[in-house]
């Protein structure tokens, strides 16, 4: 009954070939138009998993509570000296804040006035005492600079150093670093390339090291999720501003962009890189394989038309069923072409086989439908079941892909039997003059029969080896490992990975209040995987009475000296020249009491040269020496006014990153460097969650995402195997035949596992999506051989079916193999896994199945 229906369908397609082809072309055009106007693409990664998952709900709640950390473009600024980095960050933030078209929010979390005023309290007591002693020792020096913050005042201060050595044998060792800095700044200016001197490094003590080498500007951009790079416009606007910043132009500062938005956009750009060339190359190779398979454009064009019609109808289904594609489901077209081409090639090659047996094209078409139609139907249904098995899973990205690709397999079957016969009839391919099968391969069939036991034993040993090494199969749960490591955003992120403020592998715990946060932090910080814990309590410095007393004593001594004296007389080149001469007069006598290589001797040489330097050089020297002096003196005055810090005194805008309006407090947990591997991260999460079960954050999300994906594929594999087995048994009506189809599928899976472990090629978020293809292609190839064997064929490798399978595999391998050359590591790993699984499937189909079938008794020649 089923065969008669399929034969009837093919016969109607052949008899009304012209109307069917015209209708197909119009339908493809209509489907394409509907898809163009109604099918969207979203690059929002939140759509990849069901929002009912506990970790998704937790992440969504954290995003709602702390929206300032979500969807960020992060500018990372470093410069020759801290002041240049700070000035660059400040100007960048100011300019971006005025661009409301591209940026929602812009802020600098490391530029809080609170930290500038209370910064000294975060130093260790010994470090603070040493800094204050050093600053007090420099009081006369500072007095000259406060009175006259110019090169004139600086040279007067240098005179004091010379006088101190000459008259009292003063110890200049505390001043060695500043003296070297003065010399370098003057030498650079005299050489024609002045560089500003860092007074923060000279006077700030440990504060500059405490802040770290980087400054940050955090921006939340407007995003267009309908574009492949949602933050692309904002990133380009940001780069335009960066390129115009003074210290960036001079090469003294560097600004790099990273953050979630930049990482995602660069990933999409990397995936697209070379895609056009790869597509063109693939199409050329696919056309070559099709020509070698069917030998004439009169069959190649119908095959391509059938694929295009099926693809357009599948796109139409996607537009109706889902409306908007996600980052995973957008790949359904590649899967469709890769598998659907097998149906078309199988039909066309077998048609050629029957054309060789009979000159009557109509009879050959009917025989093809009778012999091949059911095979393609079973292959389509089994492949569809493999894809649809992902629909019930929590991995929405693959669930959506499974729905579209599963429906696409049914559409591909309908097009193959309903449209392809009409197209073939319309293009009228000539009859065949020779057998279509592989003549050379026919000589291999007896060899496989003779050595069948050895072959099966070898495959059995490989299967045992695969099971033995299966515990070593790795799943790389770090999504960063699937990204291109050579992009700016990734290189920058790797540079920041050990910074507790910017580490991407943190855990967040939300405590009921600040006191509870302190209790949780004390428990967590003892864990072996934890490098440090930060909460609002971290900004209440310890040992405050002792530190405040040291600062107050220093302020009592230094406050009169640091108090502004009003504006000094504007300095002129002649003033600088005279000040250099006066300073040199005091320094030269002191040189006799100092070692010959003392840096003050270098300063004396600089002062000597300045006396004869042009006015332009003198003014440039003045700017280089004192560009950042007034700001540093102001910072020093502010830091010496530090007051006791309590939770209540922390400014609300600063505290908002750590405490919610309802009092709940965030605790950030940072892993040790050893815990940043996938397995280490899992251990880190396990330890912290044992203490704080409600923990969230990026590390927890990464671990739970991995569990969700692996669970989804494990669940789908069970569903798929059961569904495929039911379909095979229901249509083949023999348990043995169903088992013969499933056995090589299992064998190819084990071989893929073995090779993946031995290479090694860890599974990851990207390449695991290749596994459904193993089910689809494997089932298709196996069904053809088993059903032909059931029909009495004893030479599988020399048959037209083998020819169709080989060229179908080559076509599919070309479509997917080009992915292995992608600059995107995730895409490349997917391409490699696809090629491995396809090769193993082909090996199982062309070697394992013939050996297995040769070991079975010859079947009775009956029909389905």
């Amino acid at each position: 009954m089923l065969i008669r229906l399929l034969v009837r369908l093919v016969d109607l397609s052949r008899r009304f070939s012209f109307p069917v082809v015209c209708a197909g072309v119009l339908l493809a055009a209509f489907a394409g138009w509907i898809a163009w106007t109604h099918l969207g693409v979203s690059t929002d990664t939140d759509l990849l998993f069901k929002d009912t998952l506990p970790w998704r709900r937790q992440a969504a709640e954290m995003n709602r509570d702390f929206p300032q950390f979500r969807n960020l473009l992060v500018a990372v600024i470093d410069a020759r000296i801290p002041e240049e980095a700070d000035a660059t960050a400040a100007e960048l933030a100011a300019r971006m804040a005025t661009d409301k078209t591209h940026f929602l929010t812009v802020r600098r979390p490391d530029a809080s006035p609170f930290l500038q005023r209370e910064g000294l309290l975060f130093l260790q007591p010994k470090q603070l005492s040493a800094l204050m002693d050093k600053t007090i020792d420099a009081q006369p020096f500072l007095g000259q600079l406060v009175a006259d913050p110019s090169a004139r005042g600086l040279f007067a201060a240098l005179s004091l150093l010379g006088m101190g050595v000459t008259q009292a044998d003063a110890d200049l060792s505390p001043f060695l670093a500043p003296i070297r800095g003065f010399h370098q700044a003057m030498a650079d200016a005299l050489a024609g390339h002045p560089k500003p001197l860092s007074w923060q490094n000279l006077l700030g003590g440990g504060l500059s090291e405490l802040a770290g080498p980087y400054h940050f500007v955090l921006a939340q951009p407007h995003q267009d999720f309908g574009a492949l790079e949602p933050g692309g416009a904002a990133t380009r606007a940001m780069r335009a501003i960066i390129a115009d910043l003074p210290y960036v132009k001079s090469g003294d500062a560097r600004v790099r962009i990273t953050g979630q938005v930049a990482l995602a956009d660069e990933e999409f750009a990397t995936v697209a890189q070379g895609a056009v060339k790869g597509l063109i190359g693939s199409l050329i190779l696919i056309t070559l394989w099709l020509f070698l398979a069917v030998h004439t454009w009169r069959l190649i064009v119908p095959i391509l038309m059938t694929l295009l019609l099926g693809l357009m109808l599948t796109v139409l289904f996607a537009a109706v069923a889902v409306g908007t594609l996600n980052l995973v489901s957008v790949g359904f077209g590649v899967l469709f072409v890769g598998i659907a081409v097998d149906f078309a090639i199988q039909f066309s090659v077998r048609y050629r086989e029957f054309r060789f047996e009979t000159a009557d094209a109509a009879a050959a078409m009917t025989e093809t439908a009778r012999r091949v139609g059911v095979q393609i139907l079973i292959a389509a249904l089994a492949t569809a079941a493999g894809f649809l098995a992902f629909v019930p899973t929590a991995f929405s990205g693959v669930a959506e892909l499974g729905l579209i690709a599963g429906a696409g397999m049914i559409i591909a079957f309908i097009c193959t039997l309903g449209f392809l016969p009409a197209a073939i009839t319309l293009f009228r391919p000539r009859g065949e003059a020779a057998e279509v099968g592989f003549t050379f391969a026919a000589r291999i069939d007896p060899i496989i029969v003779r050595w069948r036991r050895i072959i099966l034993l070898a495959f059995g040993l490989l299967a045992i080896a695969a099971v033995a090494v299966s515990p070593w199969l790795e799943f790389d749960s770090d999504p960063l490992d699937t990204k291109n490591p050579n992009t700016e955003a990734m290189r920058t992120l790797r540079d920041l990975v050990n910074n507790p403020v910017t580490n991407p592998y943190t855990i967040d715990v939300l405590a009921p209040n600040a006191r509870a946060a302190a209790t949780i932090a004390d428990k967590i910080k003892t864990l072996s995987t934890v490098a440090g814990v930060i909460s609002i309590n971290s900004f209440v410095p310890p040992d405050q009475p002792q530190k405040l007393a040291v600062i107050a004593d220093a302020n009592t001594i230094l406050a009169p000296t640091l108090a502004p004296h009003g504006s000094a007389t504007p300095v002129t080149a002649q003033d600088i020249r005279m000040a250099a001469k006066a300073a040199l007069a005091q320094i030269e006598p002191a040189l006799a009491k100092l070692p010959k290589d003392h840096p003050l001797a270098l300063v004396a040489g600089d002062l000597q040269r300045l006396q004869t330097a042009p006015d332009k050089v003198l003014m440039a020297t003045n700017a280089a020496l004192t560009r950042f002096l007034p700001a540093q003196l102001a910072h020093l005055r502010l830091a010496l006014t530090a007051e006791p810090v309590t939770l209540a005194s922390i400014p609300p805008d600063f505290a908002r990153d750590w405490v919610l309006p309802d009092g709940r407090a965030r605790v950030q947990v940072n892993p040790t460097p050893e815990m940043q591997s996938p397995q280490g991260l899992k251990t880190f999460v396990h330890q912290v969650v044992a203490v704080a079960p409600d923990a969230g954050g990026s590390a927890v999300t990464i671990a739970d995402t991995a569990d969700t994906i692996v669970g989804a594929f494990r669940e789908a594999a069970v569903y798929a195997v059961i569904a495929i087995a039911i379909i095979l048994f229901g249509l083949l009506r023999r348990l043995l035949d169903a088992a013969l189809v499933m056995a090589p599928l299992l064998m190819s899976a084990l071989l893929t596992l073995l090779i993946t472990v031995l290479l090694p090629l860890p599974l990851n978020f990207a390449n695991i999506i290749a596994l459904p293809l193993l089910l689809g292609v494997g089932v298709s190839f196996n069904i053809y051989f088993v059903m032909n064997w059931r029909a009495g064929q004893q030479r599988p490798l020399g048959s037209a079916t083998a020819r169709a399978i080989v060229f179908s595999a080559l076509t599919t391998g070309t479509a997917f193999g080009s992915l292995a050359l992608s600059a995107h590591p995730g895409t490349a790993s997917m391409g490699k896994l696809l090629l491995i699984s396809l090769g193993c499937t082909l090996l199982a189909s062309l070697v394992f199945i013939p050996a297995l079938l040769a070991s079975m008794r010859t079947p009775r020649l009956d029909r389905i």
Side-chain angles (χ1 to χ4, degrees):
M1 176 66 178
L2 179 59
I3 292 179
R4 287 198 296 272
L5 288 175
L6 297 178
V7 170
R8 180 65 174 167
L9 173 62
V10 171
D11 185 57
L12 287 173
S13 176
R14 177 188 59 80
R15 289 170 54 192
F16 298 98
S17 58
F18 185 76
V20 168
V21 169
C22 290
V25 172
L26 293 175
L27 187 57
F30 172 76
W33 176 73
I34 292 293
W36 180 263
T37 55
H38 292 81
L39 184 62
V41 178
S42 175
T43 53
D44 189 351
T45 54
D46 288 344
L47 300 178
L48 295 182
F49 300 94
K50 289 184 177 179
D51 54 15
T52 55
L53 290 167
W55 62 269
R56 281 279 290 118
R57 290 200 301 268
Q58 189 177 52
E61 181 179 350
M62 188 65 73
N63 286 334
R64 286 193 300 270
D65 290 338
F66 297 94
Q68 64 268 39
F69 299 134
R70 188 183 184 196
N71 296 330
L72 291 177
L73 277 175
V74 180
V76 181
I77 302 100
D78 61 304
R80 187 183 57 87
I81 57 176
E83 289 94 332
E84 291 175 340
D86 184 69
T88 300
E91 187 168 355
L92 174 61
R95 293 195 192 184
M96 290 173 60
T98 63
D99 185 354
K100 303 299 183 182
T101 301
H102 295 105
F103 304 105
L104 297 167
T105 64
V106 180
R107 66 192 188 102
R108 293 184 60 202
D110 54 352
S112 169
F114 164 73
L115 293 177
Q116 293 175 356
R117 186 183 71 246
E118 311 293 353
L120 290 176
L121 292 176
F122 292 94
L123 296 175
Q124 296 297 323
K126 289 184 178 180
Q127 188 181 14
L128 175 63
S129 296
L131 174 60
M132 292 296 96
D133 290 342
K134 178 181 175 181
T135 306
I136 292 171
D137 289 341
Q139 184 180 16
F141 193 89
L142 291 173
Q144 289 288 347
L145 296 177
V146 171
D148 187 1
S150 68
R152 180 178 56 198
L154 175 60
F155 293 162
L158 288 174
S159 298
L160 296 178
L161 295 181
M163 292 172 60
V165 173
T166 303
Q167 298 176 8
D169 291 328
D171 180 15
L172 296 187
S173 57
F175 300 97
L176 290 180
I179 292 172
R180 291 191 183 95
F182 300 148
H183 158 65
Q184 189 61 54
M186 287 189 285
D188 289 340
L190 287 165
H193 43 82
K195 299 288 184 183
L197 178 66
S198 175
W199 286 94
Q200 182 174 323
N201 288 337
L202 296 181
L203 301 179
L207 284 179
S208 58
E209 288 78 11
L210 188 66
Y214 300 111
H215 289 64
F216 301 94
V217 175
L218 310 183
Q220 290 179 311
H222 286 283
Q223 294 191 82
D224 177 11
F225 288 110
L228 286 179
E229 296 181 31
T235 302
R236 288 188 291 273
M238 193 172 180
R239 291 193 188 282
I241 296 173
I242 291 170
D244 194 46
L245 298 175
Y247 289 114
V248 173
K249 286 183 176 180
S250 67
D252 293 317
R254 177 179 61 163
V255 182
R256 294 175 292 170
I257 301 176
T258 187
Q260 306 106 309
V261 175
L263 287 167
D265 286 355
E266 286 188 350
E267 183 170 22
F268 306 144
T270 302
V271 171
Q273 181 181 350
V276 175
K277 292 182 180 178
L279 177 62
I280 294 174
S282 296
L283 289 176
I284 293 173
L285 281 176
I286 288 173
T287 303
L288 173 63
W289 301 137
L290 288 176
F291 176 78
L292 293 176
V294 297
H295 283 181
T296 173
W297 66 270
R298 295 177 184 272
L299 285 174
I300 293 175
V301 173
I303 290 173
L304 295 177
M305 290 178 65
T306 303
L307 283 179
L308 180 61
L309 174 61
L311 180 60
M312 288 297 99
L313 293 178
T314 304
V315 171
L316 176 62
F317 173 82
V320 174
V322 300
T324 301
L325 300 174
N326 60 52
L327 288 174
V328 175
S329 61
V330 73
F332 77 89
V334 181
L335 288 176
F336 175 87
V337 173
I339 298 177
V341 72
D342 170 66
F343 302 161
I345 290 177
Q346 195 68 229
F347 189 95
S348 300
V349 171
R350 297 297 296 279
Y351 171 73
R352 289 185 59 211
E353 178 186 21
F354 297 127
R355 278 301 305 271
F356 174 72
E357 296 176 1
T358 175
D360 188 347
M365 190 72 73
T366 300
E367 187 64 14
T368 303
R370 189 181 69 81
R371 297 280 295 274
V372 183
V374 172
Q375 297 180 5
I376 296 177
L377 173 62
I378 297 175
L381 291 176
T383 305
F387 283 122
L388 293 173
F390 288 91
V391 173
T393 68
F395 191 0
S396 300
V398 173
E400 189 176 286
L401 173 68
L403 174 64
I404 299 171
M409 294 302 97
I410 306 303
I411 292 172
F413 165 76
I414 295 173
C415 291
T416 300
L417 267 67
F419 178 82
L420 182 57
I424 292 175
T425 301
L426 198 62
F427 280 85
R428 298 179 181 178
R430 298 181 180 86
E432 301 295 329
E435 288 190 16
V436 176
F438 285 136
T439 305
F440 73 91
R443 295 190 290 269
I444 303 176
D445 283 312
I447 298 175
I448 289 183
V449 173
R450 186 180 310 118
W451 296 94
R452 61 188 182 278
R453 293 186 176 87
I454 300 297
I455 293 173
L456 293 177
L457 177 62
F459 274 99
L461 293 175
L462 290 174
I464 293 172
V467 173
V469 302
S470 60
W472 283 272
L473 179 65
E474 298 180 29
F475 183 85
D476 186 354
S477 60
D478 190 349
L480 297 181
D481 288 342
T482 65
K483 302 180 187 297
N484 186 350
N486 300 316
T487 64
E488 178 185 85
M490 273 301 299
R491 290 196 306 268
T492 305
L493 188 62
R494 292 300 185 191
D495 287 346
L496 302 176
V497 74
N498 291 320
N499 187 320
V501 178
T502 56
N503 190 299
Y505 303 108
T506 57
I507 291 177
D508 289 325
V509 180
L510 205 55
N513 50 54
R515 178 174 295 181
T519 302
I520 292 173
D522 290 339
K523 292 180 181 179
I524 291 177
K525 68 176 57 174
T526 62
L527 300 176
S528 60
T529 60
V530 174
V533 179
I534 304 174
S535 71
I536 188 64
N537 302 287
S538 303
F539 300 97
V540 180
D543 304 319
Q544 289 191 59
Q546 176 186 354
K547 295 176 183 178
L548 286 168
V550 173
I551 295 172
D553 289 344
N555 190 42
T556 300
I557 297 171
L558 294 172
T561 302
L562 294 176
H565 298 310
S567 301
T569 304
V571 68
T572 65
Q574 186 59 28
D575 291 338
I576 297 173
R577 193 174 284 112
M578 293 178 64
K581 183 177 180 179
L584 185 61
Q586 297 296 332
I587 290 174
E588 282 184 331
L591 297 180
K593 294 186 176 184
L594 298 174
K596 292 183 178 180
D597 59 349
H598 197 280
L600 194 59
L602 300 175
V603 170
D606 298 328
L607 294 172
Q608 181 69 45
R609 294 172 59 193
L610 282 172
Q611 295 179 45
T612 58
D615 290 357
K616 182 178 180 181
V617 172
L618 292 171
M619 298 309 293
T621 303
N622 177 72
L625 288 171
T626 63
R627 166 68 176 83
F628 296 115
L629 175 59
Q632 185 57 34
L633 291 174
H635 289 163
L636 182 56
R637 293 187 197 102
L638 180 63
L640 290 174
T641 63
E643 298 178 351
V645 177
T646 64
L647 290 177
S649 68
I650 296 177
D653 60 335
F654 184 88
R656 183 60 183 84
D657 283 353
W658 302 97
V659 180
L660 294 173
D662 61 8
R664 287 180 296 163
R666 182 172 71 95
V667 179
Q668 178 179 303
V669 187
N670 301 304
T672 60
E674 297 78 14
M675 293 300 107
Q676 292 169 12
S677 65
Q679 186 57 42
L681 200 63
K682 188 174 181 180
T683 304
F684 170 57
V685 171
H686 177 75
Q687 282 194 4
V688 175
V689 170
V691 177
D694 294 331
S698 58
V700 175
T701 298
I702 290 172
D704 286 346
T705 299
D707 291 341
T708 300
I709 292 176
V710 173
F713 276 87
R714 185 184 297 115
E715 181 183 345
V718 174
Y719 294 156
V721 169
I722 294 174
I724 291 172
I726 291 174
I727 291 171
L728 292 176
F729 180 74
L731 291 177
L732 296 177
R733 295 186 298 186
R734 292 180 180 85
L735 183 60
L736 174 62
D737 289 0
L740 289 174
V741 174
M742 296 295 290
L745 183 63
L746 176 61
M747 179 59 67
S748 60
L750 290 173
L751 292 178
T752 302
L753 168 63
L754 179 62
I755 295 175
T756 300
V757 173
L758 293 180
L759 280 178
L761 180 64
L763 297 179
N764 56 48
F765 292 109
N767 64 23
I768 198 171
I769 300 172
L771 297 183
L773 182 66
L774 174 64
L775 295 174
V777 175
V779 168
S780 299
F781 289 178
N782 302 339
I783 284 172
Y784 303 139
F785 273 147
V786 171
M787 293 191 69
N788 287 348
W789 170 77
R790 175 58 63 183
Q793 186 180 80
Q794 300 300 311
R795 296 191 307 162
L797 297 183
S799 66
T801 298
R803 180 188 187 89
I805 287 175
V806 167
F807 284 108
S808 177
L810 289 172
T811 305
T812 302
T814 299
F816 297 115
S818 60
L819 300 176
L821 302 177
S822 173
H824 183 258
T827 303
S829 67
M830 182 193 302
K832 293 173 185 176
L833 186 57
L834 284 167
L835 287 177
I836 291 171
S837 63
L838 185 61
C840 293
T841 299
L842 199 58
L843 182 65
S845 297
L846 298 180
V847 181
F848 179 72
I849 287 184
L852 185 63
L853 296 179
S855 302
M856 310 296 296
R857 288 190 303 172
T858 303
R860 292 182 298 108
L861 302 182
D862 49 7
R863 295 183 178 182
I864 296 177

